[in-house]
Amino acid sequence: MTHTLSRRTLLKSAPAAIVGTTTAAILSHSDLAQAASAAEPAAHRDAYGEWSALTYLSLECQKQRTANEQAVGATPYAPYLDTDLSVPSASAKALQFGPLDPGEVPTPSAQNLNRLIDPSFKTKDNGYAVLDGQMAYAQSRIVMPGVTTEMFKWWFTWHPVEKERYMLWFPQAHIDTSVADPSRLKDTSLSYEKRLFNNPNRIQEWIGPSRLDAIIHFSEPATLGFDAQALAREGFTASASAVCYATPAPDIPFTLMVHIARDTSAGMELFSRYWIGAHADMARFANAEKAPAMLQKIGFNEQVAESTAYEMSVHDMTEFNHLARILPGVHHAFGS
């Protein structure tokens, strides 16, 4: 199959100011209490205080919701398709006031990966920025009451096998998923790491109004630059971190994605980071030097990078808070 490389097939430009996504288009969680799912764990609702319903969706996402409801409706997963989205109000508000200060924004160096797990390092839970004009950046920290790292690892070996499972995670944005070796991913005699790592996962999803078609190469954290001993020392026992490639350019790394998790008394704590684009500190990954020309060709300029960073922050905030809400029930039903 021939793929045409364009900004739309990678990450198309979104409007530069989509303030309504998390301002005018959210309603107080208390105002929508009657619409809350009866299955939603009380601990999850109360973890961050006030919650807000996310009511703004791009037209593309509205149409995707309809298609996904039809697809999932014919599967055993239908009872777990919850299209009511809500996020902590504090997280939504954190994204309303523009990008992070430049001094707060880390580059994708191995040194900065390890700063993330240094207990003395402090940063905002949610934020976005642009690095050097050609790299979008987003960060988050999410606590998931009722979720464990074992559930998290199970999810990453369960959902890529069928697109309808993937749709449960973000019903308005997730389109399709597949994995290079589904038999290995399903082999419970193997460890989580042997099932997921180096088993490329192709995903298609909407990031705001832009369609992403990418191949995720989940990898051992140490191969990405993490100090494995430091991760263990700080209690991080699960990782779904990866280098990502655009499907039309499968040999050029354009994203470093970090998801590392640990169990706490309040629930699973998840740290996520996304570096999307080109930067000198990506040089440790083969062919990273080709990324600037690829991005220039598709018009990935500073304005597009800023829109991408913002939309990625909203997407991450939405999908992982929604996963926190549905995962205990889905795992209980299908994880045995």
Side-chain angles (χ1 to χ4, degrees):
M1 179 181 294
T2 300
H3 299 283
T4 300
L5 181 61
S6 68
R7 195 164 71 200
R8 184 164 182 83
T9 59
L10 179 58
L11 268 174
K12 189 187 71 174
S13 173
I18 310 181
V19 180
T21 301
T22 52
T23 53
I26 57 176
L27 300 174
S28 169
H29 186 75
S30 60
D31 292 341
L32 294 176
Q34 296 301 317
S37 169
E40 184 180 359
H44 178 64
R45 292 199 307 270
D46 297 339
Y48 290 94
E50 183 181 85
W51 283 67
S52 297
L54 186 64
T55 61
Y56 172 86
L57 291 168
S58 68
L59 181 60
E60 293 84 355
C61 287
Q62 293 178 43
K63 292 178 178 179
Q64 194 63 51
R65 167 184 170 164
T66 300
N68 288 356
E69 286 176 332
Q70 292 175 350
V72 177
T75 73
Y77 320 125
Y80 302 92
L81 184 72
D82 184 352
T83 57
D84 289 333
L85 303 177
S86 60
V87 297
S89 299
S91 299
K93 290 174 182 177
L95 302 180
Q96 292 178 12
F97 300 104
L100 296 165
D101 292 336
E104 296 181 81
V105 184
T107 69
S109 68
Q111 180 182 11
N112 283 326
L113 291 186
N114 289 298
R115 283 183 68 208
L116 172 62
I117 57 177
D118 184 336
S120 67
F121 176 67
K122 305 299 180 185
T123 188
K124 293 181 174 66
D125 283 354
N126 299 87
Y128 70 95
V130 176
L131 283 166
D132 298 339
Q134 219 179 13
M135 174 161 274
Y137 172 74
Q139 67 181 40
S140 71
R141 170 187 169 272
I142 295 174
V143 177
M144 301 183 175
V147 175
T148 67
T149 53
E150 287 304 311
M151 289 182 191
F152 181 79
K153 290 190 286 188
W154 171 83
W155 175 256
F156 274 91
T157 57
W158 183 77
H159 86 260
V161 176
E162 296 180 40
K163 67 180 182 180
E164 291 81 7
R165 299 176 180 181
Y166 182 54
M167 292 170 181
L168 300 179
W169 188 356
F170 194 161
Q172 291 85 346
H174 288 179
I175 304 168
D176 200 2
T177 185
S178 60
V179 64
D181 188 349
S183 295
R184 173 153 65 94
L185 192 67
K186 292 186 288 185
D187 188 350
T188 58
S189 70
L190 300 176
S191 67
Y192 165 76
E193 292 78 10
K194 289 182 178 179
R195 294 164 69 183
L196 184 68
F197 296 167
N198 303 310
N199 193 359
N201 175 201
R202 181 181 176 184
I203 58 99
Q204 296 179 60
E205 63 183 1
W206 295 104
I207 307 295
S210 307
R211 185 173 178 134
L212 174 65
D213 188 352
I215 302 171
I216 304 173
H217 289 251
F218 293 106
S219 303
E220 287 281 358
T223 68
L224 303 177
F226 278 106
D227 180 333
Q229 292 183 335
L231 280 171
R233 184 171 61 248
E234 297 305 321
F236 290 97
T237 57
S239 173
S241 304
V243 176
C244 306
Y245 302 76
T247 299
D251 63 330
I252 304 177
F254 81 98
T255 296
L256 174 60
M257 178 179 72
V258 168
H259 300 305
I260 54 173
R262 61 185 172 188
D263 293 309
T264 76
S265 58
M268 193 189 83
E269 182 181 30
L270 175 69
F271 292 86
S272 298
R273 300 291 185 270
Y274 307 83
W275 288 272
I276 305 167
H279 193 277
D281 284 350
M282 293 284 282
R284 64 189 182 277
F285 305 117
N287 293 326
E289 72 281 0
K290 297 180 181 179
M294 178 191 76
L295 294 167
Q296 185 176 15
K297 180 179 179 181
I298 63 173
F300 193 88
N301 56 28
E302 185 168 356
Q303 181 181 5
V304 176
E306 184 173 28
S307 295
T308 298
Y310 174 76
E311 291 291 353
M312 188 69 246
S313 290
V314 174
H315 184 98
D316 169 89
M317 173 182 65
T318 306
E319 72 174 352
F320 277 105
N321 279 294
H322 194 63
L323 183 64
R325 179 177 175 175
I326 69 168
L327 184 52
V330 175
H331 181 264
H332 178 76
F334 303 105
S336 57

